[in-house]
Amino acid sequence: MATHERRASDCIPSKGERIELLRPRMGVRVRGTVFYSDQLQILVKWDNGRSESLRPGVDGYRTVDSAQPGAGRVRLPTST
């Protein structure tokens, strides 16, 4: 399947997937586990104990493959 043919749901991580914010906070990579996701929001429980709701297409994140550090899909915010 070509990149431009992917559905929007292909870019939304599923429950249990690991994600990382593309913009580090205070110079630290923020990683967490997806608790819930749909077309409007992605609820994440971060490794630092906090939780947050991300918006697909607005907040930049990438999925992290736990087997290969640094590998994963990148999901950039879309400009409007």
Side-chain angles (χ1 to χ4, degrees):
M1 179 181 292
T3 306
H4 65 278
E5 293 176 341
R6 289 185 180 206
R7 294 171 298 184
S9 62
D10 291 343
C11 296
I12 297 175
S14 302
K15 181 178 180 178
E17 280 192 276
R18 301 276 299 158
I19 65 170
E20 175 181 83
L21 285 180
L22 293 179
R23 293 185 182 176
R25 294 183 181 163
M26 303 291 288
V28 177
R29 288 183 180 176
V30 181
R31 290 185 178 184
T33 304
V34 175
F35 181 70
Y36 172 83
S37 65
D38 61 21
Q39 296 293 334
L40 300 176
Q41 65 183 348
I42 302 165
L43 300 177
V44 182
K45 291 194 176 188
W46 300 113
D47 294 346
N48 64 7
R50 296 184 179 264
S51 59
E52 183 176 7
S53 178
L54 302 177
R55 294 173 293 168
V58 176
D59 298 308
Y61 61 87
R62 70 183 184 115
T63 59
V64 179
D65 183 7
S66 58
Q68 297 178 351
R73 298 185 314 229
V74 174
R75 176 69 173 140
L76 298 172
T78 55
S79 57
T80 55

